[in-house]
């Protein structure tokens, strides 16, 4: 078995009175593609956000490459509140690329400028180096001929592929995808899933929240079903899709398959 790259234990998160994550345990191994499925509101996005310092967890632990990235902020007997220094947070975030439902590209920058931005600003690459790398990445996602276009001149699928290239430009050890095709017109979904499939085949470690069951079935090494803030079950796509153990999984699958 490959090394565990991301480990979560007992992760809890509440918003006000609502407990959104109720003790999540999760291991992501190097090179693995883990697809997370589950009904809307089950906590999938929140879970990903906890891996990237976009949310602070209330209890539990998250490690990336063996280093704590999230930990409980307070305990029953008033544990010391510890905050990561901004520098540590930046360093840890650099290891994780994230692609959202919405692309969040800078509208007044071309595709290649969007992809270059992080490596220049954060990694200190020269503009020449960064542009060369950005053009290669855009080529990989099938957009060599769109590199100098502005987001407004690109389709949703093309913009999402730019967003993927932009995340990859930081050379992350782990890529998180949060419903990357949900905002796309149906005819544009395939091109984005194709890029993600290629990325998976190249050995990238990926956690993908998706409603695309065909993709999960074909590309995932493991599928994890979440409901109401908990992991109900996880297993190979064959097992989870054809022989789910839990009634809740069966009920969910019957609505989406
Ligand atoms: P999913 O991605 O599975 O649809 P989310 O993680 O987005 O689920 O949301 C889980 C629950 O947490 C939902 O009930 C949602 O309304 C709530 N929630 C998410 N983010 C916030 C927030 N920032 N403040 C309050 N409630 C939130
Ligand atoms: Mg979500």
């Amino acid at each position: 078995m490959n090394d565990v790259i991301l480990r979560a234990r007992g992760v809890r998160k509440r918003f006000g009175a609502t407990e959104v994550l109720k003790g999540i345990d999760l291991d992501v191994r190097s090179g693995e593609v883990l697809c997370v499925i589950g009904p809307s509101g089950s906590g999938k996005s929140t879970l990903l956000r906890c891996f990237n310092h976009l949310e602070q967890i209330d209890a539990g632990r998250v490690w990336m490459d063996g280093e704590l990235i999230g930990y409980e902020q307070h305990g029953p007997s008033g544990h010391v509140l510890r905050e990561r220094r901004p520098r540590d947070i930046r360093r840890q975030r650099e290891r994780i690329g994230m692609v959202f439902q919405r692309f969040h590209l800078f509208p007044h920058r071309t595709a290649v400028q969007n992809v270059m931005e992080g490596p220049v600003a954060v990694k200190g690459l020269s503009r020449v180096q960064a542009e060369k790398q950005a053009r290669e990445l855009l080529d990989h996602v099938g957009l060599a001929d769109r590199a100098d276009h502005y987001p407004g001149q690109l389709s949703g699928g093309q913009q999402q592929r730019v967003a993927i290239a932009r995340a990859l430009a930081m050379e992350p050890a782990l890529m998180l995808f949060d419903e990357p095709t949900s905002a796309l017109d149906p005819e544009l979904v395939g091109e984005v899933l194709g890029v993600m499939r290629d990325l998976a085949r190249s050995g990238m470690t990926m956690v993908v929240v998706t409603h695309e069951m065909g993709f999960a079935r074909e590309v995932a090494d493991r599928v994890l079903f979440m409901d109401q803030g908990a992991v109900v079950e996880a297993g190979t796509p064959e097992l989870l899709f054809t022989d789910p153990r839990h009634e809740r999984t069966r009920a969910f699958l019957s609505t989406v398959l």
Side-chain angles (χ1 to χ4, degrees):
M1 261 302 184
N2 291 335
D3 296 342
V4 173
I5 185 163
L6 182 89
R7 167 163 289 170
R9 287 291 179 273
V11 170
R12 291 179 179 274
K13 176 70 187 172
R14 60 168 61 247
F15 293 113
T18 320
E19 190 160 47
V20 172
L21 299 176
K22 299 173 181 165
I24 304 286
D25 295 334
L26 178 74
D27 282 344
V28 182
R29 290 174 188 283
S30 184
E32 180 176 49
V33 178
L34 175 68
C35 283
V36 179
I37 63 172
S40 176
S42 56
K44 306 179 299 295
S45 295
T46 304
L47 182 63
L48 291 196
R49 292 167 60 83
C50 289
F51 296 157
N52 209 12
H53 293 286
L54 295 172
E55 301 287 354
Q56 286 199 342
I57 66 179
D58 297 322
R61 295 279 193 278
V62 180
W63 295 264
M64 175 77 191
D65 284 338
E67 184 184 41
L68 268 179
I69 58 175
Y71 41 81
E72 55 207 20
Q73 302 297 307
H74 46 74
S77 54
H79 292 160
V80 182
L81 186 94
R82 294 174 303 167
E83 294 273 2
R84 284 250 172 233
R85 290 173 304 173
R87 205 179 62 193
D88 291 333
I89 291 181
R90 271 201 303 278
R91 176 173 51 75
Q92 292 180 334
R93 268 195 183 142
E94 273 178 44
R95 305 272 299 143
I96 302 180
M98 187 144 179
V99 175
F100 302 90
Q101 190 172 336
R102 297 264 163 211
F103 333 116
H104 307 295
L105 298 176
F106 296 114
H108 302 302
R109 294 193 186 150
T110 62
V112 71
Q113 288 166 347
N114 267 279
V115 177
M116 288 167 62
E117 172 70 23
V120 170
V122 181
K123 292 204 153 192
L125 247 64
S126 74
R127 298 198 71 81
V128 172
Q129 281 175 304
E131 178 170 348
K132 180 169 180 289
Q133 182 203 37
R135 289 189 186 277
E136 282 168 14
L137 283 166
L138 287 169
D139 188 23
H140 281 156
V141 299
L143 291 175
D145 60 341
R146 294 288 185 278
D148 299 304
H149 290 225
Y150 288 90
Q153 301 171 311
L154 300 173
S155 73
Q158 291 170 336
Q159 289 183 60
Q160 192 60 302
R161 286 186 280 150
V162 175
I164 293 171
R166 181 179 56 180
L168 292 174
M170 296 301 287
E171 301 181 309
L174 169 68
M175 285 282 287
L176 307 177
F177 293 86
D178 191 0
E179 299 193 24
T181 60
S182 300
L184 299 177
D185 291 335
E187 72 271 20
L188 303 178
V189 167
E191 63 191 62
V192 173
L193 293 180
V195 164
M196 292 169 61
R197 188 180 296 119
D198 290 346
L199 193 56
R201 291 199 178 127
S202 78
M204 176 60 76
T205 311
M206 298 164 54
V207 179
V208 184
V209 174
T210 187
H211 292 298
E212 296 291 336
M213 297 302 146
F215 176 85
R217 199 184 269 253
E218 184 197 334
V219 179
D221 296 299
R222 264 188 321 137
V223 180
L224 185 144
F225 172 63
M226 273 182 77
D227 193 19
Q228 296 177 22
V231 176
V232 175
E233 63 181 297
T236 62
E238 297 76 41
L239 269 178
L240 200 112
F241 287 122
T242 58
D243 190 21
R245 278 175 298 156
H246 288 264
E247 182 49 43
R248 278 197 280 168
T249 316
R250 254 174 256 143
F252 173 74
L253 289 175
S254 74
T255 69
V256 292
L257 288 181

